Amino acid sequence: MQTPLQPSSSPIARDHGFQKWWQLARPHTLTAAFAPVLLGTALAIEVTSIDIFLFLATLLACLLIQAATNMFNEYYDFKRGLDTEESIGIGGAIVRNGIKPSTVLGLALALYGVAILIGIYICMNTTWWLAAIGLIGMLVGYLYTGGPLPIAYTPFGEIFAGFFMGLLIILISFYIQTGSVTSTSILVSIPSFILVGGILLSNNIRDFDGDKEFGRKTLAILVGKKNAVRVLAGMFFVSYIWILALILAGVSTPWLMIVVLSLPKALKAVKGFKVGKNPLEMMPAMKATAQTNTIFALLLSVGLFISYI
């Protein structure tokens, strides 16, 4: 959902040509799919040689599912009247750029179709059990904003997003390369579970007033805006402490502490939400939250690569 501006604010500029179609996929959110695939594959290097074609297939399938989920979000937020031409947010292809709702829905389903074809290739080279997991993930992507009770409108959105777009993608990527799931792969995946959930929480903090007006029952609304910022800060804290604990317990090497280089982004996000008074002012904080997740996962992957050298 996108939060309406105050009446005195001017609409966001329209996109034209190819840009409006590219923006429909919300490209800056796609790193949330890229980073977990890379991390899961990096974890697998210690166990086996990497199949580059399976890596690329996994990456492409996850990116397509993420883009399709974004389009479902665009379509259903418009259908429910949550998006207007004056809204602030990462969407707007329908209300501002004149793309037909049916076209958005059709593109989302087409991307799902391509992802299924790629999934068949992956299953042919691994196990067909992954087909069931992939279809469940796609169903959740649709039900995130589609269906009679969208997941995004409940207090459980952060959990679903974190599990399916964080932990599960990492473990699937690891399994595709190794044919197994280890306790280490699960433990290293936990921070991504938390941080991907944090992305959704940051979105709900920004959209607090608009969501409350439309009757959504997000986690941010359940605990209140100030407490939601505290929860987000706690999620950042636990993610960094978790990696430190893994190192102290001997589960991982000290190289993983390279993730502290992403800490400034986390601090910027928390500070931005504390001082932001309206959705426009909180946009940089939301962006910093997403960047924290991406940089954290990329640095974690780098730490793993260095450890295996």
Side-chain angles (χ1 to χ4, degrees), residues 186-242:
I186 295 174
L187 291 172
V188 175
S189 301
I190 298 300
S192 287
F193 185 158
I194 297 171
L195 293 175
V196 172
I199 296 175
L200 180 59
L201 179 58
S202 71
N203 181 78
N204 291 336
I205 293 172
R206 183 203 63 182
D207 291 344
F208 185 90
D209 295 330
D211 285 347
K212 191 173 183 179
E213 178 183 350
F214 281 102
R216 297 175 80 172
K217 304 296 183 182
T218 63
L219 177 61
I221 291 175
L222 185 66
V223 302
K225 186 181 292 185
K226 288 185 178 180
N227 284 333
V229 176
R230 294 189 182 103
V231 170
L232 180 63
M235 294 169 79
F236 288 138
F237 177 78
V238 171
S239 298
Y240 290 100
I241 291 299
W242 188 273

Side-chain angles (χ1 to χ4, degrees), residues 58-177:
T58 306
L59 178 60
L60 182 56
C62 289
L63 290 173
L64 290 173
I65 292 172
Q66 174 67 46
T69 300
N70 290 338
M71 293 178 190
F72 286 132
N73 180 271
E74 180 89 32
Y75 176 81
Y76 283 105
D77 277 357
F78 171 78
K79 282 295 185 178
R80 293 185 172 93
L82 302 179
D83 286 350
T84 68
E85 193 166 343
E86 289 75 31
S87 295
I88 282 191
I90 58 177
I94 296 175
V95 296
R96 287 196 295 271
N97 296 325
I99 298 179
K100 295 180 179 179
S102 58
T103 301
V104 174
L105 183 60
L107 283 173
L109 294 173
L111 293 183
Y112 263 16
V114 177
I116 289 174
L117 293 177
I118 296 173
I120 292 174
Y121 165 77
I122 294 173
C123 290
M124 289 174 62
N125 289 275
T126 54
T127 173
W128 287 98
W129 283 107
L130 286 177
I133 297 174
L135 289 174
I136 292 173
M138 293 170 70
L139 177 62
V140 170
Y142 172 78
L143 294 177
Y144 180 73
T145 48
L149 183 60
I151 297 169
Y153 298 4
T154 73
F156 307 107
E158 285 80 2
I159 295 176
F160 275 87
F163 179 79
F164 283 94
M165 293 304 298
L167 186 144
L168 190 60
I169 290 182
I170 294 173
L171 297 184
I172 288 175
S173 301
F174 182 84
Y175 182 89
I176 286 172
Q177 297 294 335

Side-chain angles (χ1 to χ4, degrees), residues 242-300:
W242 188 273
I243 296 299
L244 177 60
L246 292 182
I247 294 172
L248 294 177
V251 175
S252 300
T253 69
W255 279 110
L256 297 195
M257 278 311 297
I258 194 175
V259 297
V260 298
L261 295 177
S262 64
L263 187 57
K265 287 293 184 182
L267 296 175
K268 178 181 178 180
V270 174
K271 181 179 179 181
F273 281 120
K274 285 183 175 180
V275 301
K277 302 300 182 183
N278 58 61
L280 186 60
E281 291 178 358
M282 287 186 279
M283 283 291 288
M286 181 182 168
K287 182 179 179 180
T289 303
Q291 290 174 333
T292 300
N293 169 68
T294 301
I295 298 172
F296 187 102
L298 292 177
L299 289 172
L300 206 55

